[in-house]
Amino acid sequence: LGHFADRRPAQLSGGQRQRVSLARALINQPPVLLLDEPLGALDLKLREEMQIELKNLQRRLGITFVFVTHDQGEALSMADRVAVFNRGKIEQLDTPRVLYTKPTTAFVARFVSSANVVTGELAQRLSGRAEPFAVRAENIRLRSPTAAPGSDTMSCVGDVADVQYHGAMSRWQVR
């Protein structure tokens, strides 16, 4: 950003201001750097570029980054470990993959990418146990009621209540 040295902060773009702020924080070589929603004000393309830049910078410098974000995709893609908080307490602290694939509580399952948590009578009917379990949307398949389920699947009949189109995916509400 050297060629912008004569500009005032208000004359810099959001991404340029983020880079200047980061450089000022890193100049003192801190062992830990707190980044509180550092990409929140950026557009999607710049946000994705900065995610890569921050990850590379952290690896190159060997500094611990504590990255606070409400963007779950950002947290899962950038972190070595993720903490999910519930009412001010850590509900689960794990690698992104374990947090996503093996949530330890129904809260974490619902919070991290909105898993479907099956409870009560439906859990009993599907799994033979009354214990709640989580099913991720990518593991759900719709089929005709007349088609036979596979041997390694659970199935139930439901009525489609709503479909929300989200571009590459759709969200279905089934009763």
Side-chain angles (χ1 to χ4, degrees), residues 125-166:
R125 275 194 294 147
L126 291 173
S127 70
R129 299 184 324 215
E131 299 166 12
F133 64 92
V135 181
R136 293 278 178 207
E138 64 268 19
N139 295 323
I140 296 174
R141 302 289 175 263
L142 297 177
R143 64 175 177 80
S144 164
T146 58
S151 61
D152 63 342
T153 63
M154 296 177 177
S155 67
C156 64
V157 176
D159 294 317
V160 175
D162 189 33
V163 179
Q164 297 172 339
Y165 177 72
H166 291 269

Side-chain angles (χ1 to χ4, degrees), residues 82-85 90-94 98-99 102-105 108:
V82 177
V84 174
F85 284 78
I90 294 176
E91 187 90 9
Q92 186 173 349
L93 173 64
D94 235 314
V98 170
L99 197 70
K102 295 180 175 133
T104 57
T105 67
V108 173

Side-chain angles (χ1 to χ4, degrees), residues 35-69:
L35 299 156
D36 188 3
E37 297 279 357
L39 309 178
L42 305 180
D43 65 60
L44 181 61
K45 185 172 175 10
L46 185 55
R47 187 181 189 108
E48 291 170 347
E49 290 172 9
M50 286 297 294
Q51 285 176 9
I52 293 166
E53 193 169 322
L54 283 172
K55 223 173 166 177
N56 290 335
L57 187 62
Q58 187 274 331
R59 286 185 181 133
R60 194 169 64 247
L61 298 174
I63 294 172
T64 298
F65 281 11
V66 177
F67 195 95
V68 179
T69 181

Side-chain angles (χ1 to χ4, degrees), residues 23-37:
R24 292 179 71 191
L26 291 172
I27 197 72
N28 294 320
Q29 300 176 331
V32 177
L33 184 64
L34 173 63
L35 299 156
D36 188 3
E37 297 279 357

